[in-house]
Amino acid sequence: IIAGGRSRTRATDPLMRRHFVRLHYVTLAARPPYRQKRYEDSYSTVHSKSECHEFVFVNESVCFLLLSWSFNAKNSKAIILNYRKKYCIGDSLTVRVDMFDFLGKEKTYGGDFLRARIYSQSLGAGASGRIEDFNNGSYLINFTLSWEGNVRISIILLHPSEGVSVLWRTRNMGYKNIIYIGKFLNKTQEIHKECGFSLESQEEQCEYADKIHGEFFYCLKPQNVPCEALISLMSQNKNHAYLTKLEKSMFTRSNIGVEIGINVKEVAVLKCQRNSTIEVKPKCRIGMSPPFPGGYFLNNVWHSLFCNLTSYEPLSQINECLSGKMIYLMGDSTIRQWIEFFPKLMKTLILLNRNPSYIQA
């Protein structure tokens, strides 16, 4: 449990106060504002501050003390609330999840990172579930059964809320622990300069602003070289540690992505004969607000539940759509896969890449 500490006694000796810690509050691992709930009184001995890594949420000092208080997928339970021997395409499947800790005690607050999905591996089919957190250790997961066949259910605890709190804290601590080096190209000369979100330097700086989202990035400006000459960035981490030894134990591989047991692992879905009108869905377009989940995979092809996707099957249709267009692909390794895929699909496509060495995994 992540809990706040206060003195159990009124001893005037500060060491005595430090030895007896009363576990008083549980801090929910969700985005701010953090809600707090009263937890039962428990006592633990803390011999030094180094044994208890303190961090602050909403002016509340909290402390992660024992891994056994963290919550465990193997002891947690999932049950289908509307179980039937057979379902029809379009039916809903509702699953309740109750979380328990390593000691078998039921959880009383939420914030766990769960992944819920249904799938049929032989059909190349899968869909996500919509998770509702009741903030009391219980979750309700709703699935829409969208294809015919035997459908399996998978609910995975990626991180308990205690781990989410630690990750949320550490993700906001790392900006000064990442070193960015920008490469400027001045004719044939390469110039490397320090970059970052905040530079403690009196030298002239280049500002790269995303004013729409309020994001700013800076590089030290090379002499007699324009800021537009920046062509690439490299980064590396400083030697530092975000987590205590106890916190690290939550992120060992055996504690990440653990399956939660369910009373029925597979259900049968049929293509039932129903007197229902076929819904005419609008064509998919940019700017639409999709529901969640917004669709499903079948035969490894995505099917939208709220709009009609345009399918470009023949290569001639793809060439016609993209003919005469300049395509800009910017992003991470996911975009890199598209960069590699398009030239293989369209032999006439010309790749304009100024820095081939940066298209890498």
Side-chain angles (χ1 to χ4, degrees):
I1 300 300
I2 299 177
R6 73 177 184 184
S7 175
R8 179 186 176 187
T9 70
R10 292 193 176 184
T12 56
D13 183 356
L15 292 177
M16 179 66 73
R17 291 185 180 180
R18 193 171 61 193
H19 274 259
F20 295 94
V21 177
R22 184 178 185 183
L23 304 183
H24 189 54
Y25 288 101
V26 168
T27 300
L28 293 184
R31 292 188 176 184
Y34 295 91
R35 297 174 53 194
Q36 295 177 328
K37 293 186 178 181
R38 184 66 181 262
Y39 193 69
E40 69 174 81
D41 289 341
S42 303
Y43 295 92
S44 177
T45 300
V46 179
H47 297 288
S48 68
K49 286 187 177 180
S50 62
E51 294 182 22
C52 178
H53 187 84
E54 293 187 347
F55 49 100
V56 177
F57 290 146
V58 195
N59 298 322
E60 181 74 22
S61 181
V62 293
C63 179
F64 185 87
L65 295 176
L66 291 177
L67 180 62
S68 62
W69 293 342
S70 181
F71 287 83
N72 178 265
K74 294 181 180 178
N75 289 342
S76 300
K77 303 173 183 177
I79 184 171
I80 298 177
L81 297 182
N82 61 338
Y83 175 73
R84 301 196 298 269
K85 289 185 178 180
K86 296 179 181 179
Y87 295 83
C88 295
I89 292 177
D91 284 347
S92 293
L93 183 70
T94 305
V95 178
R96 172 174 169 161
V97 177
D98 295 305
M99 301 299 296
F100 291 80
D101 66 12
F102 280 89
L103 303 178
K105 185 169 183 176
E106 192 169 3
K107 190 171 186 176
T108 58
Y109 55 96
D112 300 295
F113 183 11
L114 300 173
R115 188 185 73 175
R117 67 187 183 108
I118 51 176
Y119 66 97
S120 299
Q121 189 169 357
S122 61
L123 300 175
S128 297
R130 188 179 72 255
I131 302 174
E132 184 178 359
D133 185 350
F134 290 105
N135 291 318
N136 61 2
S138 294
Y139 300 82
L140 204 63
I141 304 174
N142 289 288
F143 299 99
T144 300
L145 302 171
S146 300
W147 64 88
E148 183 181 8
N150 292 327
V151 177
R152 295 187 65 83
I153 305 162
S154 171
I155 302 171
I156 291 176
L157 175 64
L158 289 174
H159 297 297
S161 56
E162 295 77 19
V164 174
S165 286
V166 172
L167 293 174
W168 183 262
R169 169 178 58 86
T170 56
R171 76 175 293 274
N172 294 311
M173 294 173 57
Y175 295 116
K176 292 187 177 181
N177 292 317
I178 301 176
I179 303 170
Y180 294 96
I181 302 296
K183 182 167 74 172
F184 292 80
L185 185 62
N186 183 23
K187 297 181 180 179
T188 59
Q189 181 186 10
E190 293 183 0
I191 304 172
H192 296 85
K193 284 290 185 177
E194 180 185 357
C195 300
F197 293 96
S198 177
L199 298 178
E200 297 178 358
S201 174
Q202 299 302 317
E203 296 183 37
E204 185 179 1
Q205 299 179 13
C206 294
E207 180 185 274
Y208 303 95
D210 180 355
K211 295 182 179 179
I212 295 177
H213 299 97
E215 298 285 349
F216 297 88
F217 192 78
Y218 306 90
C219 289
L220 298 182
K221 185 180 182 300
Q223 287 186 351
N224 303 320
V225 177
C227 294
E228 292 77 13
L230 177 68
I231 61 171
S232 65
L233 276 175
M234 294 184 295
S235 66
Q236 64 185 58
N237 293 330
K238 292 181 180 178
N239 187 19
H240 63 280
Y242 290 126
L243 307 178
T244 65
K245 183 178 180 180
L246 178 61
E247 289 170 341
K248 287 180 181 178
S249 64
M250 284 195 297
F251 301 104
T252 57
R253 190 64 190 90
S254 60
N255 291 331
I256 298 175
V258 182
E259 190 91 23
I260 294 176
I262 188 169
N263 62 329
V264 179
K265 292 185 177 295
E266 186 175 277
V267 297
V269 181
L270 304 178
K271 190 176 182 180
C272 305
Q273 296 295 330
R274 289 178 171 174
N275 295 325
S276 59
T277 58
I278 299 176
E279 180 185 1
V280 179
K281 295 182 290 187
K283 183 178 179 180
C284 296
R285 64 183 187 276
I286 296 174
M288 299 182 77
S289 298
F292 185 85
Y296 61 95
F297 278 98
L298 180 61
N299 296 321
N300 296 316
V301 175
W302 177 255
H303 297 265
S304 172
L305 290 174
F306 68 98
C307 64
N308 282 321
L309 287 168
T310 301
S311 177
Y312 294 95
E313 291 295 339
L315 184 59
S316 59
Q317 289 185 344
I318 299 176
N319 286 328
E320 182 181 352
C321 176
L322 299 180
S323 178
K325 294 183 174 67
M326 180 76 76
I327 305 171
Y328 294 91
L329 299 174
M330 297 176 287
D332 54 17
S333 58
T334 303
I335 292 296
R336 177 181 55 79
Q337 297 177 54
W338 285 101
I339 293 174
E340 295 174 347
F341 171 74
F342 277 128
K344 294 177 182 178
L345 178 68
M346 304 172 63
K347 305 301 182 182
T348 58
L349 193 66
I350 301 174
L351 178 62
L352 302 176
N353 179 35
R354 295 177 61 187
N355 298 284
S357 61
Y358 287 93
I359 300 182
Q360 56 187 347

